[in-house]
């Protein structure tokens, strides 16, 4: 199957977790993408006995965002886990997780997540984890700052998850001594750097919530480093040589820090860019897989042209309720305009994975939006360009004034292939891996369908 | 997407990490192993090889051997976390294009279960696996000595390195510890630990001379380790290796120290440039590395520069009158 990058083409919540879980359980039928795209693949044959010769996935790599990710995976036996920092392939024995230097690592949330996995009968998640020493650390102080800032915004909230992700990224831009995973191996330096973040938080938000002492935080972070392997830059290239790797994106392209609808964005590059950078350093390439639902969702405030209150009421999401910080979970119709924009800013995909087809099949009233009406004119394409937040803010204003022009959805897979000009290689009809069908081929997966 | 699904309490996290024992970095040792892992057992090894290949046409052999006995306390675990980065440090700034790194561990042949453990020369992360197989000795003989002489005997007579054999270029050998070696590599111990038996014991001075024909040999003494403040240890190694004894006040900086030492010796950088590279990479090991390497850097410059002696200069009036 080769390496695959999995990215959400919308506002997140499309089902990256379930797609990654499926790829790790079964691999991607090598025929599916090659048939659609002769240019894909082209990797040299690997010696028999290496994991790749079975098409198996050896590791999942996170390359953006942090512990705010919430990728829901339901195992065939019904066990459910919301993957935040561990790769969504962790239910498959032996599949490792590597948190690259682009990931914002939260050692505290990681411990609780490992505890839950242990309770589900996955005792070795931490043993299968490696963390790049350069990865920034999210601390309780970043989290507290995030909440203080979001509370101050009141009604003008951006839809933050309240996990401190944005604060971690912005603090690092302003401070060379932002704590990183490698610091956890040097107790004195770690304490110094944590104390600096704590002092910064206290000075910036005098009325902010109470936070633990730097010593208490350092104690937990040191225990993290004693338990988890922190590795150097050579680790990922070795993983890429050892077998197939799935790069698991977080959030969605439409929330990207530069291409999203400013200011309703995330402090993270949500496109393929970071994954491509890591691959290029190792001299490797990967197939780009874009994930979308057969309809649209948005968790939190911001432009959502195809929002439909009737769908929001009828299609509540099993794993996405109203978050204290993030706001309401909103549902709408398939938005080809926004999806084409996502493809444009990411440079296109090799294949698409369409999820929630079971929901689409039960709702004959689902529609597709091919163009917007903005100030009396029809708009089928949104302008994009090099990073320019003023342009993005102007785009946001236009979108908030846009009205959708709808057509019936028809067959969602055909409609999506026609509208986006990319092949659908994976179709998901339910939360478990067994609910997936790959492409137009009969595969072993097809045989296990309900 | 979503928000805080997982608790973020510092005390709960700390307790959780400590309670969940897993396969540690030294899985082999922590798993209760009591004998040297077969992959690292020097006994019967003809040679450990560092060979050129299509991927690595100009290989450079680098050996790193460290003390794994009790007196060094947490040193091996610190090294285990740090040393895999060595490769990245060497490659990132082009100090060395094709390093082959071998890790080994030194114990005490008079009383330890693992007097010597030696991995393979590796060009990638397989060196991590070698580190993970190292058996950590709790003991140490208590006589302020470890069997470095056996390790040196092995490196001198049981390694084959293409950088030297094909290109006449010596490799690098770093030993890290805080004790003396025994004065001779004893033939019986050689027979028991490595195999093959020389006619007589080999004095350590002879071994060092032999070894230095193959490798540039350095000894790193971590300051603050149990014995390292002891005059005797410094004098012993300085007598054998001269200025190639480095004193490191922060063991966290061991990778950077080794990388910059090689960078200096390869003439890829001077100390200032190397320290700039460290700062650039966000390492704050600079101060410790600088203290450890200051004299090495100075040694690369001529000791003194004098102007031309009078009378040898062709131009200008001669100060001496020839008769």
């Amino acid at each position: 199957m080769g390496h695959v990058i999995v990215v959400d083409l919308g506002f997140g919540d499309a089902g990256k977790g379930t797609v990654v879980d499926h790829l790790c359980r079964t691999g991607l039928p090598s025929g599916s993408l090659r048939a659609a795209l002769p240019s894909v693949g082209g990797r040299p044959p690997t010696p028999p006995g290496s994991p790749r010769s079975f098409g198996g996935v050896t590791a999942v790599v996170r390359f953006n965002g942090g512990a705010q990710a919430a990728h829901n995976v339901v195992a065939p036996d019904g066990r459910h886990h919301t993957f935040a920092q561990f790769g969504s392939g962790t239910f498959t024995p032996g599949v490792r997780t590597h948190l690259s230097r682009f990931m914002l690592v939260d050692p505290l949330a990681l411990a609780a997540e490992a505890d839950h996995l242990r309770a589900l009968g996955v005792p070795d998640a931490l043993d299968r984890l490696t963390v790049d020493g350069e990865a920034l650390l999210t601390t309780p102080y970043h989290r507290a700052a995030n909440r203080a800032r979001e509370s101050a915004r009141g009604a003008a909230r951006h839809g933050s998850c309240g996990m401190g992700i944005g604060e971690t990224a912005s603090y690092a831009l302003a401070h060379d001594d932002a704590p990183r995973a490698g610091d956890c191996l040097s107790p004195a330096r770690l304490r110094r750097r944590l104390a600096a973040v704590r002092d910064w938080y206290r000075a910036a938000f005098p009325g902010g919530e109470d936070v633990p002492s730097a010593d208490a935080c350092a104690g937990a972070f040191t225990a993290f480093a004693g338990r988890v392997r922190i590795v150097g830059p050579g680790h990922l290239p070795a993983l890429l040589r050892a077998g197939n790797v799935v790069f698991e994106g977080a959030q969605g392209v439409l929330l990207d820090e530069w291409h999203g609808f400013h200011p309703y964005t995330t402090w993270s590059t949500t496109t393929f860019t970071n994954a491509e950078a890591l691959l290029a350093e190792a001299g490797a390439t990967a197939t780009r897989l874009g994930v979308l639902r057969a309809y649209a969702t948005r968790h939190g405030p911001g432009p959502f042209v195809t929002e439909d209150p009737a769908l929001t009421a009828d299609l509540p999401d099993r794993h996405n309720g109203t978050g204290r910080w993030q706001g309401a979970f909103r549902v709408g119709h398939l938005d080809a305009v926004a999806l084409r924009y996502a493809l444009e800013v990411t440079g296109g995909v090799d294949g698409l994975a369409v999820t929630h087809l079971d929901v689409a099949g039960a709702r004959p009233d689902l529609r597709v939006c091919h163009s917007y009406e903005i100030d009396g004119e029809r708009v089928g394409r949104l302008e994009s360009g090099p990073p320019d937040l003023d342009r993005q803010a102007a785009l946001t204003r236009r979108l908030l004034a846009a009205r959708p022009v709808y057509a019936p959805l028809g067959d969602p897979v055909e409609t999506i292939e026609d509208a986006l000009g990319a092949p659908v290689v994976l179709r998901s009809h339910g939360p478990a891996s067994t609910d997936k069908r790959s492409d137009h081929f009969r595969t072993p997966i097809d045989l296990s369908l309900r | 997407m979503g928000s805080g699904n997982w608790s973020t309490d510092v005390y709960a996290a700390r307790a959780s990490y400590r309670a969940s024992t897993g396969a540690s970095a030294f899985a082999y040792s922590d798993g209760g192993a009591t004998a040297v892992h077969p992959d690292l057992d020097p006994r019967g090894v003809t040679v450990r090889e560092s060979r050129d290949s299509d991927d690595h046409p100009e290989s450079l052999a680098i050996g790193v051997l460290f003390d794994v006995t009790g007196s060094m306390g947490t040193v091996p675990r610190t090294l285990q976390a740090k040393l895999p980065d060595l490769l990245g440090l060497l490659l990132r700034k082009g100090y060395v294009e094709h390093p082959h790194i071998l890790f080994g561990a030194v114990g005490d042949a008079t009383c330890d279960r693992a007097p010597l453990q030696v991995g393979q020369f590796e060009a990638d992360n397989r060196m991590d696996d070698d580190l993970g197989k190292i058996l950590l000795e709790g003991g140490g003989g208590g006589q302020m000595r470890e069997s470095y002489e056996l390790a040196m005997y092995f490196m001198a007579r049981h390694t084959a390195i293409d950088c030297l054999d094909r290109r006449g270029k010596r490799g690098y050998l770093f030993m890290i510890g805080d004790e003396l070696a025994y004065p001779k590599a004893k033939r019986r111990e050689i027979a028991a630990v490595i195999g093959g038996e020389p006619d007589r014991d080999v004095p350590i001075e002879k071994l060092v001379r032999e070894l230095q024909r193959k490798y540039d040999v350095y000894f790193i003494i971590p300051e603050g380790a149990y014995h390292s403040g002891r005059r005797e240890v410094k004098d012993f190694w300085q007598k054998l290796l001269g200025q190639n004894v480095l004193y490191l006040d922060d063991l966290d900086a061991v990778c950077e120290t080794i990388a910059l030492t090689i960078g200096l010796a390869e003439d890829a950088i001077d100390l200032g440039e190397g320290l700039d590279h460290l700062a650039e990479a966000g390492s704050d090991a600079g101060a410790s590395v600088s203290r450890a390497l200051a004299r090495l850097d100075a040694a690369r410059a001529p000791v003194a520069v004098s102007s031309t002696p009078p009378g040898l200069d062709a131009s200008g009036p001669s100060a001496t009158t020839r008769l």
Side-chain angles (χ1 to χ4, degrees):
Chain A
M1 128 176 164
H3 309 311
V4 178
I5 313 172
V6 177
V7 159
D8 183 316
L9 297 177
F11 295 109
D13 304 308
K16 289 179 297 293
T18 192
V19 167
V20 169
D21 167 64
H22 174 74
L23 292 177
C24 291
R25 284 178 196 278
T26 62
L28 197 63
S30 51
S32 62
L33 280 164
R34 302 244 158 80
L37 268 181
S39 62
V40 171
R43 265 174 245 294
T46 47
S50 71
R52 199 181 299 168
S53 60
F54 305 110
V57 172
T58 50
V60 174
V61 174
R62 280 286 304 274
F63 60 90
N64 71 325
Q68 93 292 19
H71 298 173
N72 291 287
V73 173
V74 178
D77 57 14
R79 288 176 301 160
H80 164 244
H81 181 79
T82 303
F83 286 97
Q85 296 186 86
F86 289 99
S88 296
T90 303
F91 274 144
T92 303
V95 171
R96 303 181 191 187
T97 295
H98 176 63
L99 305 183
S100 74
R101 68 170 188 272
F102 293 116
M103 168 85 177
L104 310 179
V105 177
D106 186 331
L108 305 181
L110 185 77
E113 187 179 353
D115 290 344
H116 185 253
L117 283 163
R118 205 171 297 115
L120 289 178
V122 183
D124 62 342
L126 287 169
D127 299 317
R128 290 192 257 145
L129 180 73
T130 47
V131 179
D132 190 303
E134 293 294 305
L136 288 166
L137 296 175
T138 296
T139 69
Y141 319 123
H142 295 113
R143 210 174 352 264
N146 178 187
R147 294 174 179 190
R149 209 182 296 272
E150 195 76 350
S151 295
R153 287 193 184 114
R157 287 184 175 188
H158 295 176
S160 162
C161 292
M163 292 287 289
I165 302 303
E167 299 293 342
T168 306
S170 60
Y171 180 89
L173 288 177
H175 301 83
D176 286 345
D177 63 345
R180 292 175 187 269
D183 296 337
C184 298
L185 297 163
S186 308
R189 182 184 352 165
L190 176 68
R191 230 187 324 276
R192 211 168 46 239
R193 294 186 165 191
L194 288 175
V197 186
R198 191 176 191 275
D199 294 347
W200 160 84
Y201 162 71
R202 276 274 164 247
F205 304 98
E209 62 188 65
D210 283 345
V211 287
S213 71
D215 276 345
C217 187
F221 282 24
T222 304
F224 152 78
R227 185 64 184 79
V228 170
R229 268 184 72 203
I230 294 170
V231 297
H235 183 77
L236 182 55
L239 268 185
L240 289 164
R241 283 194 300 273
N244 294 320
V245 170
V246 174
F247 287 79
E248 179 174 5
Q251 301 143 317
V253 172
L254 298 180
L255 297 169
D256 183 77
E257 56 189 333
W258 295 113
H259 300 294
F261 307 136
H262 186 74
Y264 305 98
T265 57
T266 177
W267 276 77
S268 164
T269 298
T270 60
T271 59
F272 294 97
T273 307
N274 290 349
E276 299 277 16
L278 294 167
L279 284 153
E281 284 162 21
T285 55
T287 301
R288 300 160 152 238
L289 189 61
V291 184
L292 66 156
R293 292 192 189 209
Y295 51 98
T297 66
R298 176 158 202 166
H299 201 164
F304 186 11
V305 179
T306 59
E307 184 172 15
D308 182 340
L311 294 180
T312 299
D314 290 358
L315 300 177
D317 204 74
R318 199 179 337 188
H319 305 303
N320 279 292
T322 295
R324 177 179 164 199
W325 297 98
Q326 215 181 343
F329 186 76
R330 306 147 71 195
V331 183
H333 300 277
L334 189 72
D335 186 343
V337 183
L339 288 165
R340 280 196 295 265
Y341 171 82
L343 287 180
E344 196 169 305
V345 300
T346 54
V349 297
D350 296 321
L352 298 165
V354 181
T355 65
H356 297 76
L357 284 163
D358 51 328
V359 178
R363 291 288 301 214
D365 59 337
L366 285 182
R367 290 171 285 177
V368 55
C369 167
H370 286 298
S371 59
Y372 300 159
E373 182 119 359
I374 307 179
D375 298 333
E377 63 171 311
R378 283 290 169 97
V379 175
R381 179 183 168 273
L382 303 177
E383 60 276 20
S384 67
D388 175 355
L389 291 182
D390 292 338
R391 186 196 58 233
Q392 293 307 109
L395 177 59
T396 299
R397 286 192 294 276
R398 276 162 58 74
L399 290 177
L400 290 170
R403 300 174 56 83
V405 180
Y406 286 123
L409 180 60
D411 176 73
V413 170
E414 282 178 24
T415 302
I416 286 166
E417 284 189 336
D418 290 347
L420 304 188
V424 171
V425 297
L426 194 66
R427 291 169 286 158
S428 171
H429 294 263
S433 179
T434 43
D435 302 320
K436 310 283 180 284
R437 289 179 222 179
S438 294
D439 197 46
H440 325 287
F441 294 79
R442 277 190 68 77
T443 67
I445 308 156
D446 279 324
L447 305 178
S448 60
L449 279 170
R450 293 184 306 205
Chain B
M1 306 244 340
S3 64
N5 286 281
W6 306 114
S7 148
T8 49
D9 178 80
V10 283
Y11 301 103
R14 179 176 164 178
S16 162
Y17 284 125
R18 292 195 169 177
S20 77
T21 49
S24 82
F26 289 96
Y28 178 71
S29 193
D30 294 347
T34 55
V36 173
H37 192 288
D39 290 354
L40 303 186
D41 192 347
R43 188 165 164 71
V45 172
T46 319
V47 283
R48 290 280 198 243
E49 300 172 295
S50 161
R51 297 297 185 201
D52 294 350
S53 65
D54 291 348
D55 282 348
H56 303 285
E58 295 211 346
S59 60
L60 178 67
I62 299 168
V64 181
L65 302 170
F66 52 93
D67 179 351
V68 288
T69 55
S71 59
M72 291 277 280
T74 60
V75 167
R77 287 181 198 270
T78 309
L79 288 174
Q80 214 274 349
K82 296 280 171 185
L83 284 174
D85 292 350
L86 178 57
L87 197 63
L89 279 170
L90 291 170
L91 294 171
R92 212 173 309 147
K93 286 292 178 185
Y95 299 173
V96 182
E97 208 168 345
H98 301 290
H100 276 177
I101 304 182
L102 165 148
F103 288 126
V106 182
D108 185 344
T110 62
C111 61
D112 283 345
R113 291 166 308 184
L116 179 62
Q117 304 172 72
V118 195
Q120 305 277 358
F121 284 103
E122 301 284 11
D124 58 33
N125 266 39
R126 274 170 297 201
M127 66 184 65
D128 271 15
D129 300 343
D130 283 347
L131 278 170
K133 292 170 190 159
I134 285 176
L135 182 70
L136 302 177
E137 289 275 0
Q143 42 260 59
M144 228 176 77
R145 290 181 193 269
E146 300 294 345
S147 301
Y148 296 106
E149 73 291 341
L150 275 184
M152 291 194 272
Y153 177 93
F154 183 91
M155 294 304 289
R157 300 192 182 179
H158 289 270
T159 59
I161 56 177
D162 271 358
C163 53
L164 184 75
D165 300 347
R166 288 181 163 201
R167 290 182 296 284
K169 179 168 174 36
R170 289 197 294 255
Y172 292 89
L173 175 64
F174 292 84
M175 290 179 284
I176 305 163
D178 63 342
E179 314 218 27
L180 314 182
Y182 289 94
K184 292 177 181 161
K186 300 186 192 65
R187 48 191 281 240
R188 280 209 191 80
E189 283 175 7
I190 293 169
V193 174
I194 300 170
E197 195 171 344
D199 301 339
R200 58 178 69 88
D201 297 350
V202 189
I204 193 159
E205 294 79 5
K206 180 173 187 306
L207 266 181
V208 168
R209 280 197 302 278
E210 200 177 315
L211 189 62
Q212 284 177 326
R213 285 200 284 274
K214 216 170 195 174
Y215 297 95
D216 285 344
V217 185
Y218 295 84
F219 199 92
I220 298 177
I221 301 177
E223 299 280 2
Y226 179 67
H227 290 299
S228 55
R230 310 269 293 259
R231 195 68 249 170
E232 201 180 343
V233 175
K234 295 188 175 186
D235 290 349
F236 176 89
W237 288 108
Q238 257 173 347
K239 198 167 129 246
L240 284 173
L241 302 175
Q243 58 158 27
N244 283 10
V245 181
L246 311 175
Y247 306 101
L248 188 56
D249 54 26
D250 179 6
L251 196 64
D252 277 350
V254 69
C255 273
E256 290 92 340
T257 303
I258 292 176
L260 260 63
T261 303
I262 293 173
L264 289 172
E266 290 289 298
D267 227 354
I269 46 164
D270 62 27
L271 186 54
E273 289 169 334
L275 295 174
D276 288 348
H277 291 167
L278 290 187
E280 219 176 284
S283 163
D284 51 12
S288 297
V289 175
S290 169
R291 282 190 290 273
L293 296 188
R295 283 173 322 125
L296 262 190
D297 185 50
R300 285 156 31 87
V303 175
V305 180
S306 70
S307 53
T308 318
L312 291 180
D313 215 341
S315 61
S318 171
T320 51
T321 311
R322 291 199 179 84
L323 296 169

